[in-house]
Amino acid sequence: MTLPGGLSRLATGLQPASSQRSRRGVSATIAIGGGIVAFIAIVGLLSLVWTPYDPGGIDPTSRLQLSSSAHWLGTDKFGRDVLSLLMAGSRTTLVVGIVAVGVAALIGVPLGIMSAMTTRWWGEAVMRANDLLLAFPALLLAIMLTAVHGQGVVTAMVAIGIASIPSFARVVRSGAIGVMKTEYVLAARAAGRRPLAIAFRHVLPNVTSLIIVQASVSFAIAVLAEAALSYLGLGAPPGTPSWGRMLQEGQELLFVAPRLEVFPGIAIALAVLGLNLLGDGLRDRFDPRLRDRR
Amino acid sequence: MTREFRRQRTSLFTPAPVVHALRGVSLDIAPGERFGIVGESGCGKSTLLRIIAGLDQPTSGVVEVDGVDIARLPERRLGFLREKLQLVFQDPMSSLDPRMKVRDIIAEPLVAQGKRDTLPRVLELLEAVGLQPEAADRYPHQFSGGQRQRISIARALAPDPQILVADEPVSALDVSVRAQVLNLIAELVDRLSLTLVFVSHDLSVVRHVCDRVAVMSRGEVVEIGATEQIYDAPQHPYSRQLVAAAPRLRAALAGRTAADLAADTLAAKERP
């Protein structure tokens, strides 16, 4: 269940136990992971209409309170309700994750498919450029973009998205190369199908499972990256609720009020765990060897 | 016609090694003929087939279909060939897209030609290959190997081709289904008066459906002739070996062992 471990499980196959679970429908991994992700999504949606307190509401009279019936998770140094901040922060996390994964998939998937389908030089060129991007630290990219476009959630999202392009392109390319070797693609060519039609009707549907798995893994990475950027002051600006910002703001009070670090830390860990479990479960479910049984 | 493939470079300073998949192959196939190509795995049968079907290009040489050289045409100009020539592939598992319904698979050549309302034609084709109309809305994995190969044949017949090219269409099937599929191909070729190009490593299968056979070995055609002639009186040593290898059971009963056959093979290879 490691982050960069990627799709290695796909190659090594499947334990018999989980294959039995898959046949019954949803595996425990998917259920738990999906449950956590759904919970965070619901909390994020809920925070749009209701939070216990205004997440931005500064109240100097109730600073640094411990957990109580009024403030379940206590308050921070400005007297803001930690639970409300966490709830509102999940929104930022979700939006950043969705947009970053969206950017990465929208650019990475076509690049991967194109480079798998062409035998010309530029297919290789795309992948070498991809390697270049892969070697480039995501954080450095984010700092660079921030320097040019200014600090903000949008800059962070785009930076994380761009940094996630290579993993999508690689995973999709390797899957697409496999699809291009099949006889049904040969049959489609013999039927007179144009490359674009083959890409959309044969290659894309047959790599969808890879894309979904990669999306959940990349989402987890994006959650971590957003927290890191906001912690460094490169992501969410002051005033925008974000788990990473909460970590940063609580840092100076680490020994006075450690719970200000613990709660957002748990939230981040939980989100990443949920997404990874979901990704793992989906990967097992989409194992090509199970395809015939579905 | 020749076809060479470059292998991966093994050193930075030597040019990439070249594999001669086909060397100087020359064939004429008459319209309406049932033409077989036999040879062991790796002898270039499939490469030849792909070139004939316009899915690969020869390194040198000409492939004429109805007087048009298809070897140098870019893929987007091969539309006429796609209507005229269709393929049945070897592996019934990988030749049908697992994500597509049977009706979409069979209709694919029609859709590629811009035809609409393909369902009537699809049902007609399903009937022609001996499948139920209900098959149209199922997915490939719900069928057996023989049934899948029937779907593959239906797809090949969809655009009403004049030439049917079959690449080992029965070698992945159980022996019990093999004869059925072979008979189906033979019957359809007869009924629709198609030209058949049939590739197999199994001489007995080719004998079942073809009038004329080319024997290939190591990228060359070593012998061409009427099926019976090659079967009864093979001229080239390789053909003789191939014919001798076919009825292994009788030879084994006559007291010949696997070691004898291996010795024969070795002796044949050493011959120039």
Side-chain angles (χ1 to χ4, degrees), chain A residues 47 50-58 76 80-81 83-89 91 239 241:
Chain A
S47 76
W50 178 84
T51 46
Y53 293 84
D54 175 11
I58 293 170
D76 71 357
R80 292 177 298 189
D81 181 50
L83 180 62
S84 304
L85 278 173
L86 277 182
M87 286 176 70
R91 225 157 53 202

Side-chain angles (χ1 to χ4, degrees), chain B residues 96-98 100-102 105 138-143 148 151:
Chain B
L96 307 175
D97 187 336
M100 277 167 93
K101 281 185 182 168
V102 168
I105 291 173
R138 301 225 223 124
Y139 287 91
H141 70 260
Q142 295 169 293
F143 295 91
R148 282 158 162 253
I151 296 170

